[in-house]
Amino acid sequence: MVKPFGKTTFTVDVRKSIDDVVHRQSPGRPRTTSRALDRNILRACRKDPRRTSKDIQVSVTSPNEPVPSRRTIRRRLQVAGLHGLVSLKNRKARVEWAKQHLSWEPREYAPQYHCRTVKHGGGSVMVWGCFSDTSMGPLKRIVGTMDRYVYEYILENTMRPWARANLGRSWVFLQDNDPKHTLGHVANWFRRRRVDLLEWPSQSPDLNPIEHMWEELERRLNRVRAFNANQKFAQLEAAWKSIPMTVVKTLLDSMPRRCQVVIDAKGYPTKY
């Protein structure tokens, strides 16, 4: 099998809530849904990805909770990276991508990057992390908004040095279609640095095993309390470095199954 550009694959993803929607403190009006209801909304979608917002609305409604609007449900799914029904165009693209990569070797999907917001007692900590099929990469704390300029700074000063030190000069970068990733400002960086990009289908968090890596990180921090953002980041960094490579191997080994499930589902969201 020929690898794209004859190089090691470098896969990328963007922010996503894992099992819970991040509740951010806001000066605006209070949220209309509780954490428990948000979890039920996500679980309903994961149980049957083809459910509409109306179906989910009916399934999660209870006497003890206000009835969430369909717009609220769609918003919660979007924040969690579960975009509900995938458009016909994207379903076709997902199936085509899955067919093209069905026979890839697990290591061709590594390493990966993900930007993630992690809740702590007094606010939230946003982190960026990467890993390869041979080692866990750095975990970088992000202060402020993750915009295209911050993204480029991370690419230049964290991702690229780490990739060159661990992967040599031959690697391919994969990112999803988040606007900050595709705008000209960032696209110019890839051209200047001659970094090859691997195509990624839209609305496809279920094809990216790094989502489960964040779940692994959260499991390792379950019931570990932090009293401030600095302590929370220290805990995150230590837990990230402690993740064994057997976890990475298991995630990468799942890629052929993920591709097959997407093909079988005709491009609709899957259990992953």
Side-chain angles (χ1 to χ4, degrees):
M1 179 183 57
V2 179
K3 297 180 181 179
F5 308 104
K7 301 179 180 180
T8 302
T9 304
F10 192 85
T11 58
V12 184
D13 195 18
V14 292
R15 276 177 298 186
K16 173 182 179 295
S17 277
I18 303 301
D19 184 56
D20 200 357
V21 176
V22 176
H23 285 234
R24 297 181 180 177
Q25 296 179 354
S26 171
R29 65 182 182 181
R31 294 170 66 91
T32 59
T33 57
S34 65
R35 289 179 181 275
L37 183 54
D38 285 344
R39 285 195 294 270
N40 289 337
I41 290 172
L42 302 190
R43 286 168 183 162
C45 182
R46 290 191 175 106
K47 185 176 180 180
D48 183 0
R50 301 191 187 196
R51 279 184 172 182
T52 65
S53 58
K54 184 177 182 179
D55 294 333
I56 295 176
Q57 182 185 52
V58 173
S59 69
V60 302
T61 298
S62 69
N64 300 324
E65 292 275 7
V67 179
S69 70
R70 294 169 64 181
R71 181 178 180 183
T72 294
I73 291 172
R74 289 193 294 268
R75 197 159 51 236
R76 298 295 182 267
L77 295 178
Q78 184 177 24
V79 169
L82 302 172
H83 300 283
L85 291 178
V86 181
S87 68
L88 176 61
K89 177 182 177 181
N90 288 340
R91 291 203 304 272
K92 291 180 178 179
R94 281 163 50 80
V95 171
E96 183 61 29
W97 192 94
K99 288 180 177 179
Q100 291 175 0
H101 300 84
L102 185 61
S103 59
W104 272 29
E105 295 294 329
R107 75 180 306 271
E108 293 184 273
Y109 293 98
Q112 305 201 18
Y113 124 84
H114 190 100
C115 181
R116 160 79 170 146
T117 300
V118 183
K119 177 78 175 178
H120 74 86
S124 61
V125 175
M126 183 180 291
V127 294
W128 179 99
C130 59
F131 67 88
S132 74
D133 58 336
T134 58
S135 64
M136 296 300 295
L139 194 73
K140 180 177 176 58
R141 182 178 174 183
I142 299 169
V143 179
T145 303
M146 177 67 167
D147 58 19
R148 57 186 178 178
Y149 301 105
V150 174
Y151 182 52
E152 180 182 347
Y153 183 86
I154 292 174
L155 293 175
E156 177 67 30
N157 297 283
T158 301
M159 183 278 289
R160 187 168 178 265
W162 179 84
R164 297 190 66 171
N166 289 271
L167 305 176
R169 295 182 177 275
S170 298
W171 46 274
V172 175
F173 193 81
L174 190 155
Q175 60 181 2
D176 73 1
N177 298 321
D178 185 283
K180 74 171 67 68
H181 299 161
T182 56
L183 290 173
H185 183 81
V186 175
N188 288 335
W189 182 89
F190 286 109
R191 283 193 290 269
R192 292 196 312 270
R193 290 304 188 185
R194 298 182 180 179
V195 175
D196 293 317
L197 291 171
L198 186 66
E199 181 183 0
W200 185 257
S202 298
Q203 294 184 275
S204 299
D206 52 350
L207 282 171
N208 199 332
I210 199 171
E211 304 299 340
H212 294 276
M213 182 63 79
W214 291 115
E215 291 179 357
E216 176 69 23
L217 180 62
E218 290 199 344
R219 280 194 294 270
R220 289 171 178 269
L221 288 175
N222 186 33
R223 299 181 182 177
V224 177
R225 182 169 180 77
F227 296 97
N228 54 62
N230 291 334
Q231 186 181 29
K232 171 59 70 176
F233 177 70
Q235 293 170 350
L236 288 167
E237 189 173 35
W240 181 259
K241 292 179 179 178
S242 72
I243 297 175
M245 296 311 297
T246 52
V247 173
V248 177
K249 183 179 185 302
T250 299
L251 293 178
L252 298 181
D253 285 344
S254 73
M255 286 307 301
R257 296 195 300 274
R258 293 170 186 266
C259 289
Q260 187 60 60
V261 169
V262 168
I263 295 170
D264 295 341
K266 295 180 172 53
Y268 281 98
T270 70
K271 64 179 181 179
Y272 289 103

